[in-house]
DNA sequence: TCGATCATGCACCTATTCTGCATGGTTATC
DNA sequence: GATAACCATGCAGAATAGGTGCATGATCGA
């Protein structure tokens, strides 16, 4: 119910360029430009100034964007309360999440919702955690499942979001089937310190998880290979190229020559998976139901996994 | 920045019928109907139900309207703060007021603003106090000058408005030039209790002022004639038909055979004139400036009047 | 200097949204 | 109980807001 042009301005405040805003909102750059020009005309405020080959927000623009946070939150809160009070049905619901979450958590959620709310049109978008937040601001999605990252630009107390912990996903180690520890069920990171490790490229979302796990026990692993997808990493391990960390939520399927070991020892690395929504919308019955379903599914997967894989 | 359809819903919540909403917002009935239907579709809420030959709000609808009050207020507040912080210029400004106010206060205000803010497009609407509030809700006007009425449906603490006292306009008495008291400068209501009085029709906006003035001193006046406009009332008095109450703000011009006397005694009847704005917008520099101008003008008229008329 | 990047204006098109009129259902009046 | 008045709504047509795609100009890095 908040004017789309104000939402566009908020997205721009995140992106900094018209082009990126267009990409994120789904408009063309011309449309974004026209929208922001129109917004300035209607409000009688100069919100943008030219800056080099781009544009940037004026002080007034930044003020307006910052001040719009509680406005958005209040609207979300009002809508959620009205939906709850009136027992009404939503007809579109956007979900976002990173790859593992999208496959393991969001897909089942979407399937469940399809049966419990047949009239609801669910859309799932796979996206980076960072992009998920942007999509929330852009109102392209209503709920995001992401890995908590303190290195993120979005703190837990960001006025635009509310975050709830879904689960702490333990990191297991995967090793080749012919590895010296392959018959074990658990291992410590210290035992594996000298192994050739497979991880993601530095700077990626999950690389920091990797390093955090090892700094906790005070060893520096040797990074031998890099993979983007879990599938690739599993294949690398299966080929005997090294060992890797795999979240328990990520399925091993029945990969050839790969064994999953639980990590024991003083540091049990986990990744915290949280659900994020626009502030105010958490009370919405649809979101409440989704969070319940997500938590149930997460726990089910977590407890089922050992029997399936180990 | 709040969706126009939500504003329309709020107006409907006031009016109760689609037709009245259309009249007040300036749309056609079909447009209002379509807007509200669209609003329900977008929100996925049933807001209206058929009720006889009309429609009425559902519980959800009432909930949404009530909850939208702080939302509107917050937006107004944000816009006002941004305008102030950024020293920006508005380009449209709607004023509303009852007849005397429109002529004596709003016209000079509009004239002043035309010189101080040449780019500003000022629109003045003459309307009942009650209609002024409706016009504020409908966002047709931004500031209204009205006579405070405790009998009104809009209390001083209405979450939709903020009201500031502009002045307490004393009520004078006007009598024929050949009246026995015509040479006096002051009179008491008790002295005039037995006179034939001229006032507005019972139930009208100013009639309650009239009765309130007399109940304060404990006498019941004899109502001989009724007039709608001050001009008419003055003419009646000039014709010797009776006496009447005239706010000091209302000009006597140089009416034939009419004398204005100040009222003295234990009860000095006044009508309280207040400015009303949408809650949150009071901090806007344009509104602040307007209130200043209104107050200066009001005081100027009030002090100048005796020399001009008496 | 050249290419890349970014915003913006313009022509054109699409889709929303408004108006005016006709319709159907509901209430009041005679 | 018939008729008139009233109210909301649907539809066809028209206006308009708002979109896209391309060309342009301006700026920055190589």
């Amino acid at each position: 119910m908040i004017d789309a042009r104000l939402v566009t301005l908020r997205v721009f405040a995140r992106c900094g360029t018209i082009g990126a805003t267009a990409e994120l909102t789904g408009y063309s750059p011309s449309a974004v430009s026209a929208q922001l020009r129109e917004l300035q005309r209607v409000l009688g405020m100069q919100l943008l100034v030219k800056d080099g080959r781009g544009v940037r927000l004026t002080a007034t623009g930044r003020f307006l964007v910052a001040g719009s946070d509680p406005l958005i939150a209040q609207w979300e809160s009002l809508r959620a309360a009205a939906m709850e009070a009136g027992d009404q049905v939503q007809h579109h619901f956007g979900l976002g999440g990173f790859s593992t979450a999208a496959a393991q958590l969001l897909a089942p959620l979407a399937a469940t919702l399809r049966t419990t709310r047949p009239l609801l049109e669910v859309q799932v978008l796979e996206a980076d955690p960072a992009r998920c937040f942007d999509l929330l601001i852009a109102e392209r999605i209503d709920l995001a499942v992401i890995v908590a990252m303190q290195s993120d630009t979005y703190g837990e107390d960001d006025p635009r979001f509310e975050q709830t912990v879904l689960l702490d996903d333990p990191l297991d180690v995967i090793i080749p089937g012919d590895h010296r520890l392959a018959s074990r069920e658990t291992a410590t990171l210290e035992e594996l310190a000298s192994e050739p490790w497979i991880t993601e490229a530095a700077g990626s979302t999950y690389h920091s998880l990797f390093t955090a796990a090892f700094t906790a026990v005070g060893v520096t692993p040797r990074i031998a290979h890099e993979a983007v997808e879990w599938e690739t990493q599993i294949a690398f391990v299966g080929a005997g190229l090294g060992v890797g960390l795999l979240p328990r939520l990520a399925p091993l399927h029945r990969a050839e020559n790969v064994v999953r070991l639980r990590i024991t020892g003083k540091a049990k690395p986990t990744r915290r998976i949280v659900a994020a929504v626009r502030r105010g919308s958490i009370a919405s019955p649809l979101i409440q139901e989704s969070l319940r379903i997500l938590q149930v599914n997460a726990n089910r997967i977590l407890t089922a996994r050992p029997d399936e894989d180990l």
Side-chain angles (χ1 to χ4, degrees), chain A residues 106-295:
Chain A
L106 294 181
L109 171 60
T112 306
L113 288 176
R114 201 183 307 277
T115 61
T116 61
R117 308 194 178 218
L119 294 172
L120 185 68
E121 184 183 298
V122 182
Q123 184 183 28
V124 186
L125 268 65
E126 184 179 337
D128 286 4
R131 186 175 166 83
C132 278
F133 283 113
D134 290 345
L135 288 170
L136 279 172
I137 295 179
E139 307 199 353
R140 293 276 298 274
I141 60 173
D142 305 298
L143 187 151
V145 175
I146 50 145
V147 177
M149 285 288 178
Q150 61 272 53
S151 66
D152 222 331
T153 51
Y154 300 96
E156 270 188 43
D157 53 349
D158 190 293
R160 291 167 293 190
F161 311 110
E162 274 168 315
Q163 305 185 23
T164 50
V165 175
L166 283 179
L167 74 153
D168 283 316
D169 190 18
L171 295 179
D172 296 327
V173 63
I174 52 174
I175 60 176
D178 51 6
H179 191 275
R180 62 185 164 92
L181 301 175
S183 57
R184 299 258 296 270
E185 287 202 343
T186 64
T188 65
L189 286 182
E190 290 89 338
E191 286 179 303
L192 296 157
S194 60
E195 298 287 333
W197 281 90
I198 304 163
T199 179
E200 268 196 280
S204 75
T205 313
Y206 304 112
H207 186 81
S208 48
L209 268 173
F210 183 83
T211 51
F214 281 96
T215 51
V217 295
V219 298
T220 21
R222 180 167 65 87
I223 294 170
H225 308 284
E226 292 180 354
V228 175
E229 303 287 333
W230 297 128
E231 282 301 319
T232 322
Q233 188 188 2
I234 294 167
F236 283 4
V237 171
L241 297 178
V243 301
L245 291 180
L246 186 73
R248 191 155 310 156
L249 209 56
L252 201 52
H253 297 125
R254 47 204 178 288
E256 290 285 327
N257 197 38
V258 178
V259 176
R260 182 200 290 256
L261 269 57
R262 299 203 174 192
I263 293 173
T264 55
K266 53 190 174 202
K268 292 200 185 69
T270 62
R271 56 172 194 175
R272 172 157 289 186
I273 294 179
V274 303
V277 297
R278 276 187 299 280
R279 189 167 289 271
S281 70
I282 191 110
S284 157
L286 181 51
I287 293 201
Q288 284 294 316
E289 182 181 343
S290 299
L291 291 178
R292 251 194 323 273
I293 296 172
L294 283 173
Q295 238 141 7

Side-chain angles (χ1 to χ4, degrees), chain A residues 65-79:
Chain A
V65 168
S68 67
D69 286 340
L71 192 73
I72 301 282
Q74 187 148 14
W75 163 246
E76 292 290 351
S77 176
L78 173 58
R79 180 162 66 135

